[in-house]
Amino acid sequence: MATQAPEPTGTPQPPHARSTANKHRLTRRGLFTLGGGVAAAGVVGGGIAALVCGGADAAQPGAVLGTATARPRALTHPGLLHNAGDLHRAKVRVAAREDPWLKGWTRLLDNRHSASGWRPRPQAVVVRGGTGQNYGILYNDIHAAYQNALRWRIGGTEANGATAVAVLNAWSATLTSVDGNADRFLAAGIYGYQFANAAELVRDRPDFELARFKKMLRTVFLPMNTDFLTHHNTANITNYWANWDLCNVASLMATGILCDDRATFGRAVTYMKSGAGNGSFRHAIPFVYGGQNLAQWQESGRDQGHTTMGVGLMGAICEMAWNQGVDLYGYLDNRFMRAAEYVAKYNLGAAVPFTAYAWRSGQGTGRAMEQPVISDIARGTVRPVWEILHNHYARRRRLTTPFITLMAEKVRAEGGGGDYGPNSGGYDQLGFGTLLYSK
C-alpha cells in the first residue's frame, strides 16, 4: 500500500498536501545534527525564507540536540562528493592496476574533457533558456576542470592540475551573471554545485584563486539558489519538479562547504528535511509501499530521464552531507534507498506499483494536474548515478539493495560528462563513480 509521509501505513493523502512534521536525530557516526526544534518551527512560522536565508528560526549548524554548550564542528576538506579516503583509495588501486578502479580510470583518460590541452572559453554572461543560449560552453568547461582535477589528484600529473586551475580561474575572473528564462535556475543549481566540486579538488593549490572563486559562487550562484528555494519563480509550490529544487539545494550545500559557511550548509540540510518544495524528502518521495522496500519518486509519471536525474542529485546531496558527518541517506528510515530501488527496478524492466500523482501547475492556485500511470518514456535510461548509491547502501551500510546493485553492475564502469550524449542531460552528473566510490 502506498502511504504519504510520514505515516508507514494507511491511505495516501493527495501528493500536493504538505506536511511539516519533522524528526531530527543524531547521525550514525555521532558527529552532530543540523537543525533542531527551533528550525522545524521556522518552517511554519518563518516560511521557506527562514530556512534558506537565515534569521532567528534558521537551523544552527553544529548544535547537538539537547547540548546547549556544544561547539560547532569545522567543515571537512576535501569534503564534497569526495573525501580524502576516496581519493587515496582510487590513487592506490589505480597504481596497483586493480579493477574496477582501473576500468574507471581508463574511462576518465578516454574522455576528451580530461585532456590537459583543454582551453577554457569563459563568458561574462551565461544564458540557459530563451534566446542567446551559450550555457553549453559553461558545462563543458566545468567538466574539463573536474576531470583534469581528478587526473591530478589520482594520477599526480601536474599538467592536469594546472589545466583544472586555469579553467576555474578564467571563469571566476569573467563570469558576472546567469540569465535566461526559468531554466536559468537549473543552470544556477546544476553548474553551481558542479563548479564547487571541481574547485574543492584543487582548493589547496597555490595557483588557484580560491578567494575569487568563492566570491563568484556567493555573488552569482548562491543568490539564485536562495531565490528559487524561497520563491520558486513565483509559481505554485507544486509547479516545479523535484530536480529543480534538488539542483539548487546541491549548489547551496556545495557552496557552504567550499566556503566554510556552516550556516549555508545547515540551510541546505534543513531544506531537505522540511522544505516546502518538491525536492525535500517527503515531497520528492511522496509514497512508500509498505512491505516492498520501495517508494515512488515524484517524477515517475513524467519520464525516466528526469527521474534518474533527480535520483542522481539527491545522491550527490546525501554524499556531500555524509562527508560532513550528517546522515541524510538514512533519513526517514532509508526513504531515499527505497525510492532508488523503485527507480532502478522499473528501469531494469520490472513492474512497480504506482499511485496517481496530483499537483497544481502555474501561478497562484494553479491548474489541477494528475499523472495516473507511471511513464515509460526513456525507460531503461543510463546515467552515472548508481555506483554512489550501491557503495553507500550495499557496501558501507551492508543493506540489501538488489535493484540498485543490478543497475550499478549494468552501467559499470561509470564515465562522466561527455560519455552520455552531447546535450545538457549528458552533463547533469559529474560521474566516475566506479573510480571514486568502489569499496
Side-chain angles (χ1 to χ4, degrees), residues 285-349:
I285 310 168
F287 303 113
V288 175
Y289 297 95
Q292 299 184 56
N293 203 36
L294 301 174
Q296 185 171 313
W297 188 260
Q298 189 258 347
E299 298 187 66
S300 293
R302 181 189 184 192
D303 64 71
Q304 298 309 306
H306 286 96
T307 293
T308 309
M309 174 190 178
V311 169
L313 287 167
M314 188 172 282
I317 291 166
C318 289
E319 186 69 14
M320 290 188 292
W322 179 270
N323 284 331
Q324 298 302 327
V326 178
D327 183 10
L328 293 180
Y329 278 117
Y331 189 65
L332 294 177
D333 192 24
N334 294 313
R335 193 182 193 87
F336 178 39
M337 180 190 75
R338 299 168 191 266
E341 279 283 280
Y342 179 97
V343 174
K345 183 176 182 179
Y346 184 67
N347 281 280
L348 285 166

Side-chain angles (χ1 to χ4, degrees), residues 14-18 236-241 278 298 301-302 356-362 365-372:
H16 53 273
R18 296 315 198 194
N236 185 282
I237 192 63
T238 63
N239 178 78
Y240 283 99
W241 304 103
N278 280 326
Q298 189 258 347
R302 181 189 184 192
Y357 179 77
W359 80 100
R360 303 195 76 83
S361 174
T365 57
R367 179 166 59 98
M369 307 286 287
E370 184 179 78
Q371 293 166 340

Side-chain angles (χ1 to χ4, degrees), residues 20-24 34-46 51 57-59 270 274:
T20 58
N22 190 17
K23 290 183 178 180
H24 298 272
L34 297 181
V38 174
V43 181
V44 179
L51 293 178
D57 291 329
T270 303
S274 52

Side-chain angles (χ1 to χ4, degrees), residues 27-244:
T27 68
R28 182 182 67 86
R29 296 192 286 182
L31 296 176
F32 62 92
T33 296
L34 297 181
V38 174
V43 181
V44 179
I48 308 301
L51 293 178
V52 180
C53 301
D57 291 329
Q60 297 301 311
V64 178
L65 290 180
T67 307
T69 59
R71 293 181 180 178
R73 176 180 180 269
L75 294 173
T76 299
H77 300 288
L80 273 77
L81 284 175
H82 316 305
N83 59 41
D86 295 332
L87 297 167
H88 177 73
R89 181 178 59 247
K91 183 175 183 177
V92 169
R93 299 298 186 181
V94 167
R97 303 191 64 77
E98 295 181 20
D99 283 330
W101 300 272
L102 184 60
K103 289 180 180 177
W105 177 247
T106 299
R107 291 219 70 178
L108 176 61
L109 298 185
D110 288 345
N111 193 306
R112 70 185 183 90
H113 294 80
S114 76
S116 62
W118 189 276
R119 295 295 177 264
R121 293 191 293 158
Q123 308 291 306
V125 180
V126 167
V127 179
R128 176 165 179 166
T131 59
Q133 293 191 116
N134 62 351
Y135 69 104
I137 297 172
L138 175 58
Y139 65 66
N140 275 280
D141 275 2
I142 289 174
H143 284 259
Y146 173 75
Q147 293 179 26
N148 272 274
L150 282 182
R151 289 188 64 172
W152 172 65
R153 292 295 300 248
I154 296 170
T157 46
E158 173 58 26
N160 291 110
T163 295
V165 167
V167 173
L168 298 173
N169 284 348
W171 278 92
S172 69
T174 307
L175 184 65
T176 60
S177 64
V178 176
D179 205 349
N181 60 21
D183 285 1
R184 69 190 184 276
F185 291 112
L186 287 175
I190 296 170
Y191 309 134
Y193 108 84
Q194 291 181 349
F195 244 153
N197 269 276
E200 180 78 350
L201 293 173
V202 298
R203 65 178 296 128
D204 294 328
R205 285 183 59 102
D207 52 347
F208 178 43
E209 297 286 350
L210 178 59
R212 191 175 71 199
F213 194 87
K214 288 179 178 180
K215 181 180 179 181
M216 178 190 71
L217 288 181
R218 285 173 170 149
T219 59
V220 177
F221 293 91
L222 186 59
M224 294 183 69
N225 305 146
T226 301
D227 182 55
F228 183 80
L229 294 172
T230 304
H231 303 295
H232 289 88
N233 203 27
T234 72
N236 185 282
I237 192 63
T238 63
N239 178 78
Y240 283 99
W241 304 103
N243 71 81
W244 290 71

